[in-house]
């Protein structure tokens, strides 16, 4: 999470020179008009949408959520389930089936809050383990205390451990993104990056299926469903978004210069366009089909968050005043009124 310091003295001078003082009734009225409840999606799956809400003057970014933002889970039916505030030094918000974990950095390690959504099961623990994602019955950690490098280890809510081993080569730093059936590991250490991507099923701890062989490419994977993973490969002119079948049987790619954060949408990949680079439909939701062709939404949305829940694409309207769903990328968006928090 980054904190940007503004030039307070210069800003005050501009106010004094070109408009009413910050404490004047006119300035207060403008400030009040700009502050409103804003919504942004964080993650989702077939059963639940996880989103954040806060009254703010500026947009919410799911990558750098403010401490006081409120988190909610929303199922296929019913109203939002309050999960509390984001908290300080947020590290991870991760969902696997109905299992959700929220991880915050503390002075002595990590705070892990976990839920089995749709039930009364919930916990709040402190640990010095490096928790990086949810599993269907707990969470996974990265443990560097092994001779062959860092292992992925899962811990269930009841304390059972499963060692998934090292999914990539020795001395290769990697990130992890989870899905309902397993996790994807991708090389993310750019000093010795080997560009590899693997998939490991929750039910087969010793088998790490190679989705992308080592090749010295920059890699970031954002989303995993029960059938596919969505990743950004390379940079600059050669940057691409790729959809990998978890079976290892196929890959689909298209130019990724306009894409930012990806989400797997059935057999497609989708993203909102944040860049203003020439030729990119800024703010429009875009989807890549299984054949590699792309289509963009008819209207722009807020570009800071996009996910898939209940089979629909979910994002925020411009200004983040509401969440909307789309059944297809060029379909008419529908306001998600059940997400409104009074």
């Amino acid at each position: 999470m980054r904190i940007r310091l503004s030039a307070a003295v210069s800003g005050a001078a501009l106010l004094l020179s070109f408009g009413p003082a910050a404490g004047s009734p006119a300035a207060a009225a403008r400030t009040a008009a700009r502050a409103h409840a804003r919504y942004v999606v964080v993650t989702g799956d077939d059963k639940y949408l996880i989103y954040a809400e806060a009254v703010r003057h500026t947009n919410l970014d799911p990558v750098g959520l403010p401490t006081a933002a409120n988190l909610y889970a929303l199922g296929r039916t019913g109203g939002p389930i309050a999960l509390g505030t984001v908290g300080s030094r947020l590290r991870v918000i991760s969902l696997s089936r109905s299992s959700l974990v929220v991880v915050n950095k503390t002075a002595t390690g990590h705070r892990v809050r976990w839920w089995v959504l749709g039930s009364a099961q919930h916990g709040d623990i402190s640990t010095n383990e490096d928790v990086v994602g949810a599993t269907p019955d707990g969470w996974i950690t990265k443990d560097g205390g092994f001779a062959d490098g860092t292992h992925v280890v899962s811990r269930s809510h009841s304390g059972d451990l499963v060692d998934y081993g090292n999914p990539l080569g020795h001395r290769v730093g990697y990130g992890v993104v989870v899905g309902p059936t397993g996790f994807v590991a991708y090389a993310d250490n750019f000093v010795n990056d080997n560009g590899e991507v693997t998939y490991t099923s929750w039910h087969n701890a010793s088998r790490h299926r190679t989705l992308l062989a080592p090749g010295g490419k920059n890699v970031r994977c954002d989303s995993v469903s029960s059938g596919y993973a969505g990743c950004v490969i390379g940079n600059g002119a050669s940057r691409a978004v790729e959809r990998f079948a978890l079976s290892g049987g196929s890959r689909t790619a298209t130019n990724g210069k306009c894409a930012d954060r990806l989400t797997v949408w059935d057999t497609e990949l989708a993203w909102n366009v944040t860049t203003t680079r020439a030729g990119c439909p800024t703010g429009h939701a875009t989807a890549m089909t299984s054949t590699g062709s792309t289509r963009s939404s008819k209207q722009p949305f807020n570009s800071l968050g996009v996910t898939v829940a209940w089979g629909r694409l979910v994002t925020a309207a411009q200004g983040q005043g509401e969440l909307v769903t789309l059944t297809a990328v060029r379909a008419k968006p529908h306001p998600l009124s059940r997400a409104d928090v009074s």
Side-chain angles (χ1 to χ4, degrees):
M1 184 181 299
R2 296 181 178 178
I3 299 175
R4 180 178 295 174
L5 300 179
S6 60
V9 174
S10 299
L14 287 171
L15 284 172
L16 289 171
S17 300
F18 301 106
S24 71
R30 280 203 310 274
T31 298
R34 290 195 300 268
H36 62 83
R38 297 176 188 265
Y39 300 84
V40 69
V41 297
V42 178
T43 187
D45 62 13
D46 289 345
K47 294 184 177 181
Y48 291 96
L49 170 71
I50 309 300
Y51 66 96
E53 174 270 341
V55 176
R56 285 169 58 86
H57 299 86
T58 57
N59 284 334
L60 287 168
D61 188 334
V63 175
L65 288 170
T67 298
N70 298 296
L71 287 175
Y72 294 91
L74 189 66
R76 285 180 175 271
T77 61
I81 303 167
L83 305 173
T85 59
V86 167
S88 62
R89 303 172 74 184
L90 177 68
R91 291 287 304 278
V92 174
I93 300 175
S94 181
L95 179 68
S96 180
R97 297 183 188 168
S98 298
S99 174
L100 175 71
V101 295
V102 177
V103 184
N104 297 82
K105 180 72 174 174
T106 67
T108 57
H110 294 93
R111 177 192 182 192
V112 180
R113 289 171 284 168
W114 61 267
W115 294 262
V116 179
L117 299 171
S119 79
Q121 296 181 65
H122 166 56
D124 189 337
I125 69 167
S126 296
T127 180
N128 56 11
E129 297 175 319
D130 184 13
V131 179
V132 296
T135 70
D137 63 351
W139 54 85
I140 53 173
T141 67
K142 289 171 65 177
D143 187 338
F146 294 88
D148 63 340
T150 300
H151 284 204
V152 173
V153 179
S154 73
R155 180 185 295 274
S156 72
H157 302 135
S158 59
D160 295 333
L161 299 177
V162 177
D163 181 2
Y164 287 89
N166 182 350
L168 269 67
H170 186 39
R171 299 186 182 278
V172 176
Y174 60 87
V176 174
V177 59
V178 305
T181 62
F183 67 89
V184 164
Y186 58 96
D188 69 347
N189 182 338
F190 300 123
V191 175
N192 55 21
D193 188 1
N194 73 346
E196 187 175 8
V197 179
T198 65
Y199 167 70
T200 306
S201 165
W202 299 130
H203 301 298
N204 194 339
S206 62
R207 183 180 183 184
H208 310 299
R209 179 178 292 122
T210 299
L211 304 182
L212 182 64
K217 300 169 288 294
N218 292 339
V219 176
R220 189 193 77 236
C221 296
D222 293 335
S223 179
V224 180
S225 70
S226 59
Y228 300 96
C231 306
V232 178
I233 310 297
N235 54 24
S238 62
R239 188 172 188 261
V241 296
E242 298 202 24
R243 188 207 64 170
F244 296 91
L246 299 184
S247 63
S250 66
R251 293 169 54 183
T252 305
T254 192
N255 186 287
K257 73 170 186 176
C258 299
D260 186 15
R261 302 160 195 159
L262 312 179
T263 187
V264 178
W265 188 9
D266 193 15
T267 61
E268 300 186 354
L269 286 183
W271 58 89
N272 272 3
V273 180
T274 60
T275 180
T276 57
R277 188 178 289 114
C280 295
T282 304
H284 290 257
T286 302
M288 179 187 77
T289 70
S290 58
T291 62
S293 62
T294 58
R295 301 185 76 191
S296 295
S297 61
K298 294 181 179 180
Q299 67 185 67
F301 303 100
N302 183 271
S303 61
L304 290 178
V306 61
T307 194
V308 171
W310 326 299
R312 298 185 177 188
L313 195 68
V314 190
T315 188
Q318 288 185 308
Q320 295 188 331
E322 63 181 359
L323 298 180
V324 298
T325 67
L326 294 92
T327 56
V329 74
R330 293 186 63 79
K332 180 181 178 180
H334 294 278
L336 185 55
S337 58
R338 292 190 302 117
D340 295 345
V341 179
S342 58

